[in-house]
């Protein structure tokens, strides 16, 4: 899996030049706007709620001694919860709403790598692509929250919270990469088949998602460029895996 994680990360190295070469920037205009507006809405709301959650957690401590220390810890945990949930909501909202705009991008990338203009693909409309994006990311949102909440609770345990941070990043990265890969997979597989494919190639999803998360740490520019580069990188690697799978089947 480590090899695939590295492969997913390395795909970003040629993403910028590939976008320029295939003249794909125009396809990212609307998704970029969606990304910026969603980021502003989600994180401004999250900022306003962080103190309330910290205050709620601090009420658990009913004793006078250590109250100030526990309050400080509660505020930190409250802020962390808001940041994590904000990131989760942000990525799934933008990936779901951007699905109809990202599918043509991944298709052009596929044509570039395979040289095949015509494929035996599933023909889907704008609305079908949007609904597919909402379904996949809605499913991933629920799964990610179910995994993330217990991980956040582990942060209350000393020493264990170090490992929980790594686990949290891996979970976040996996579902980010999942959404980016599905823009290509939706032409090849139905819903359940796509889930199975990503599970079999979870390393690629994690590698793609790690850089996706790192981009979000870059103020403004990161939010604008995260989709173009992550989708291009994910599409490139997903197409390569699909072609390798076809060659293996034909060889057999």
């Amino acid at each position: 899996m480590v090899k695939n994680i590295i492969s997913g990360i390395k795909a970003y190295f040629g993403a910028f030049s590939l976008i320029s070469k295939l003249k794909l920037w125009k396809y990212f205009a609307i998704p970029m706007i969606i990304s910026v507006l969603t980021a502003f809405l989600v994180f401004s709301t999250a900022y306003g709620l962080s103190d309330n959650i910290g205050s709620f957690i601090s009420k658990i401590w009913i004793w006078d001694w250590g109250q100030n220390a526990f309050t400080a810890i509660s505020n930190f945990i409250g802020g962390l919860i808001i940041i994590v949930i904000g990131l989760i909501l942000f990525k799934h909202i933008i990936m779901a709403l951007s699905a109809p705009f990202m599918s043509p991008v991944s298709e052009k990338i596929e044509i570039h790598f395979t040289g095949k203009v015509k494929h035996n693909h599933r023909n889907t409309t704008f609305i079908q692509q949007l609904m597919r994006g909402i379904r996949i990311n809605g499913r991933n949102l629920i799964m990610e929250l179910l995994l993330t909440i217990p991980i956040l609770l582990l942060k209350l345990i000393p020493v264990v919270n170090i490992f929980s941070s790594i686990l949290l990043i891996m979970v976040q990265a996996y579902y980010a990469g999942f959404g980016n890969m599905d823009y290509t997979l939706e032409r090849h597989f139905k819903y359940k088949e796509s889930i199975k494919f990503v599970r079999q190639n979870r390393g690629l999803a994690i590698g793609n998602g790690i850089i996706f998360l790192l981009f979000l740490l870059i103020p403004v520019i990161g939010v604008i460029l995260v989709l173009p580069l992550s989708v291009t990188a994910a599409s490139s690697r997903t197409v390569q895996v699909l072609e390798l799978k076809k060659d293996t089947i034909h060889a057999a």
Side-chain angles (χ1 to χ4, degrees), residues 136 139-140 173-183 194-195 198 205:
I136 282 287
R139 177 258 182 198
N140 288 350
Y174 173 72
Y175 285 107
F178 192 139
N180 288 326
M181 291 172 68
D182 193 63
Y183 297 133
S194 291
I195 294 173
V198 177

Side-chain angles (χ1 to χ4, degrees), residues 95-112:
M95 287 192 290
L97 297 181
S98 299
F101 307 100
M102 296 297 96
S103 291
V105 169
S106 69
E107 187 169 11
K108 288 183 179 297
I109 292 172
E110 183 169 358
I111 292 172
H112 170 72

Side-chain angles (χ1 to χ4, degrees), residues 181 184-185 197 204 233-243:
M181 291 172 68
T184 299
L185 297 178
F197 180 91
L204 288 179
S235 299
S236 301
R237 282 295 182 266
T238 304
V239 167
Q240 290 175 6
V241 174
L242 287 170
E243 288 300 301

Side-chain angles (χ1 to χ4, degrees), residues 148-181:
T148 298
I149 292 173
I151 294 173
L152 288 174
L153 292 177
L154 290 175
K155 288 193 168 297
L156 296 173
I157 306 174
V159 181
V160 175
N161 57 14
I162 298 174
F163 299 99
S164 67
S165 297
I166 298 173
L167 185 58
L168 182 62
I169 292 171
M170 297 288 278
V171 169
Q172 287 249 343
Y174 173 72
Y175 285 107
F178 192 139
N180 288 326
M181 291 172 68

Side-chain angles (χ1 to χ4, degrees), residues 122 132 135-136 139-140 174 177-179 181-202 205 238 242 245:
R122 299 172 62 246
R132 162 77 174 230
R135 186 182 183 189
I136 282 287
R139 177 258 182 198
N140 288 350
Y174 173 72
F178 192 139
M181 291 172 68
D182 193 63
Y183 297 133
T184 299
L185 297 178
E186 69 93 13
R187 290 191 304 279
H188 296 268
F189 301 127
K190 293 183 179 179
Y191 176 77
K192 291 184 179 179
E193 294 171 331
S194 291
I195 294 173
K196 182 179 179 181
F197 180 91
V198 177
R199 283 175 179 168
Q200 292 172 341
N201 297 276
R202 60 172 59 89
T238 304
L242 287 170
K245 184 177 180 181

Side-chain angles (χ1 to χ4, degrees), residues 19-225:
I19 294 173
S20 300
K21 181 178 180 179
L22 300 182
K23 300 178 180 179
L24 299 176
W25 287 111
K26 59 185 177 182
Y27 294 97
F28 294 113
I30 294 178
M32 283 178 176
I33 294 172
I34 292 173
S35 185
V36 171
L37 292 177
T38 303
F40 176 78
L41 178 63
V42 169
F43 292 110
S44 60
T45 302
Y47 179 79
L49 292 174
S50 58
D51 289 341
N52 295 332
I53 293 180
S55 177
F56 176 78
I57 295 174
S58 66
K59 292 179 181 178
I60 298 174
W61 193 268
I62 59 175
W63 300 276
D64 291 332
W65 60 273
Q67 182 67 47
N68 291 334
F70 190 79
T71 299
I73 295 172
S74 298
N75 289 334
F76 172 77
I77 294 174
L80 180 63
I81 290 173
I82 285 298
I83 290 172
V84 170
I85 293 178
L87 283 172
I88 293 173
L89 289 173
F90 169 75
K91 68 173 182 274
H92 289 301
I93 290 173
I94 63 169
M95 287 192 290
L97 297 181
S98 299
F101 307 100
M102 296 297 96
S103 291
V105 169
S106 69
E107 187 169 11
K108 288 183 179 297
I109 292 172
E110 183 169 358
I111 292 172
H112 170 72
F113 281 109
T114 63
K116 302 173 185 176
V117 178
K118 293 184 179 180
H119 301 271
N120 295 321
H121 288 164
R122 299 172 62 246
N123 293 319
T124 53
T125 64
F126 182 96
I127 297 299
Q128 287 174 325
Q129 291 165 3
L130 177 62
M131 296 308 296
R132 162 77 174 230
I134 292 173
R135 186 182 183 189
I136 282 287
N137 285 283
R139 177 258 182 198
N140 288 350
L141 171 62
I142 293 171
M143 292 296 297
E144 190 170 351
L145 286 174
L146 289 175
L147 291 171
T148 298
I149 292 173
I151 294 173
L152 288 174
L153 292 177
L154 290 175
K155 288 193 168 297
L156 296 173
I157 306 174
V159 181
V160 175
N161 57 14
I162 298 174
F163 299 99
S164 67
S165 297
I166 298 173
L167 185 58
L168 182 62
I169 292 171
M170 297 288 278
V171 169
Q172 287 249 343
Y174 173 72
Y175 285 107
F178 192 139
N180 288 326
M181 291 172 68
D182 193 63
Y183 297 133
T184 299
L185 297 178
E186 69 93 13
R187 290 191 304 279
H188 296 268
F189 301 127
K190 293 183 179 179
Y191 176 77
K192 291 184 179 179
E193 294 171 331
S194 291
I195 294 173
K196 182 179 179 181
F197 180 91
V198 177
R199 283 175 179 168
Q200 292 172 341
N201 297 276
R202 60 172 59 89
L204 288 179
I206 293 172
N208 180 269
I210 287 173
I211 305 300
F212 182 102
L213 296 177
L214 289 176
F215 262 103
L216 296 183
L217 298 178
I218 305 173
V220 185
I221 298 297
V223 172
I224 294 173
L225 293 179

